[in-house]
Amino acid sequence: MTPALLTPPATGAGPRGGDRTDRIVGVVQRQGALAVLVAVVAVALAVFPDFRSLDNTGTILVAAAPPMLIALGMTFVILTGGIDLSVGSLYVLGGVLAAWASRHGAVAAVLVPLVVCGGIGLLNGVLIARTRMAPFIVTLAALLGARGLMRALSDEGSTTYLVESDTFGRLGTGSLLGVGYQVWLAVGLVLIGMLVLARTGFGQSVYAIGGSEDASALMGVSVRRTKVLVYVLSGLLAGLAGAVNAAKLGSGVTVLGAGMELDAIAAVVIGGTLLTGGAGSIAGTVAGVLLLGVIQNMINQVGDLNSNWQQVISGSFLAVVVVAQTVLNRLRRVQ
């Protein structure tokens, strides 16, 4: 009889089987949102004739540009294991500030929201990194504070500032090669974000902190500085998204931004980034944002449904993805 120690392992078991399972699980986590996006687009192309037009594609991309910027910043935050609930309020504050400052030219219309919203992001980061306060509490306070500042600037929402700079206005209405400037801006920043995460020490620090903050500190990673920077980045991108939207609308609308933080979190998580941090990608976030945008567009194609159904579907997607991530992580741990 062959000794037990010399008995060959069963097919699919042992290190090789475990490695194969890990690879499959990793691919599902990274590419799942893209696969669902392709499937949903295929269904939309088959069911809705208007969905196939180039104008409709442009509409989807333009509508997705501001959420893409917000979700880009949120990706960095969540990768560190944090959360930023203030981005919705910073988005609407950035729009009001941009319209208010546009009387002084296009440069002021861009710089003012970046400085103010980036400053609020800096305050969030310092409080979270230096005092070790919970990100949920800190950014919730910033949400309320930014919303209050916006209401103070707009006389409780009764004053709507118009964009007075034609140059700034073209950021939201102009196009290059048939594609809106704001879409090109979002694409450029997404590519830069991918490069930063993949090719810089800062990007590696973001992943390391999300994996284990204590281990990162022992390896010499500047945990506090990295945390501060990701919240500054999130604030800057939220303010920029608000400015871009103000340029598109021609005014600083004060009734926007409610729930934007939840949409951004949903897009990031649907894109495969773990809420616990340490794993995820910007490419997945892009797929998540586009998926939610395509769903919204499909809802608009159906005459008897309103936009509230997007929230229902987005919430359902998020619940399914979180459950799937939990199951996949358990599969990886048992290998």
Side-chain angles (χ1 to χ4, degrees):
M1 179 180 294
T2 304
L5 291 177
L6 300 179
T7 303
T11 303
R16 290 185 179 180
D19 290 344
R20 187 182 304 113
T21 300
D22 279 349
R23 288 196 297 270
I24 294 173
V25 169
V27 169
V28 171
Q29 285 183 325
R30 292 191 301 270
Q31 308 298 337
L34 179 59
V36 174
L37 173 62
V38 171
V40 170
V41 169
V43 171
L45 289 172
V47 175
F48 303 108
D50 292 341
F51 187 87
R52 307 165 194 162
S53 68
L54 291 177
D55 288 342
N56 188 64
T57 301
T59 299
I60 294 174
L61 294 177
V62 168
M68 189 75 73
L69 295 175
I70 296 174
L72 175 60
M74 187 70 75
T75 302
F76 280 86
V77 171
I78 293 180
L79 281 173
T80 64
I83 202 79
D84 190 352
L85 300 179
S86 67
V87 292
S89 292
L90 294 179
Y91 170 71
V92 67
L93 174 62
V96 171
L97 288 170
W100 173 79
S102 66
R103 69 188 71 179
H104 303 294
V107 175
V110 174
L111 285 182
V112 170
L114 288 181
V115 169
V116 175
C117 295
I120 294 175
L122 175 62
L123 179 60
N124 286 341
V126 169
L127 288 175
I128 292 167
R130 296 288 179 178
T131 68
R132 302 183 71 85
M133 294 176 64
F136 179 89
I137 299 300
V138 173
T139 58
L140 178 61
L143 178 155
L144 299 174
R147 184 72 62 168
L149 179 57
M150 180 276 296
R151 294 183 66 82
L153 289 171
S154 61
D155 299 323
E156 300 296 322
S158 61
T159 300
T160 300
Y161 297 102
L162 301 178
V163 172
E164 299 182 22
S165 169
D166 292 336
T167 302
F168 175 65
R170 282 196 291 273
L171 175 63
T173 59
S175 64
L176 176 65
L177 301 177
V179 179
Y181 289 147
Q182 56 187 301
V183 177
W184 288 113
L185 175 63
V187 169
L189 291 176
V190 162
L191 292 176
I192 292 173
M194 290 179 175
L195 183 63
V196 167
L197 273 183
R199 300 295 182 183
T200 68
F202 171 71
Q204 298 308 306
S205 297
V206 168
Y207 279 113
I209 292 171
S212 174
E213 187 173 324
D214 292 336
S216 300
L218 290 175
M219 291 188 298
V221 173
S222 180
V223 175
R224 289 181 176 179
R225 183 179 65 183
T226 302
K227 281 189 171 184
V228 170
L229 288 176
V230 296
Y231 284 96
V232 170
L233 180 62
S234 181
L236 287 172
L237 289 171
L240 179 60
V244 167
N245 192 61
K248 181 179 73 172
L249 299 178
S251 62
V253 180
T254 60
V255 295
L256 301 175
M260 285 287 291
E261 62 280 349
L262 302 181
D263 291 338
I265 294 169
V268 173
V269 175
I270 288 172
T273 298
L274 299 181
L275 274 172
T276 53
S281 68
I282 292 174
T285 295
V286 171
V289 172
L290 292 177
L291 176 59
L292 296 181
V294 168
I295 290 172
Q296 176 63 62
N297 190 267
M298 292 173 64
I299 290 173
N300 293 338
Q301 303 276 348
V302 180
D304 57 349
L305 293 179
N306 58 46
S307 60
N308 293 327
W309 282 100
Q310 184 193 13
Q311 303 300 321
V312 176
I313 297 173
S314 299
S316 301
F317 262 112
L318 182 59
V320 171
V321 168
V322 171
V323 171
Q325 286 182 347
T326 301
V327 173
L328 292 173
N329 285 334
R330 287 177 179 174
L331 283 174
R332 301 187 82 169
R333 283 199 295 266
V334 299
Q335 298 302 321

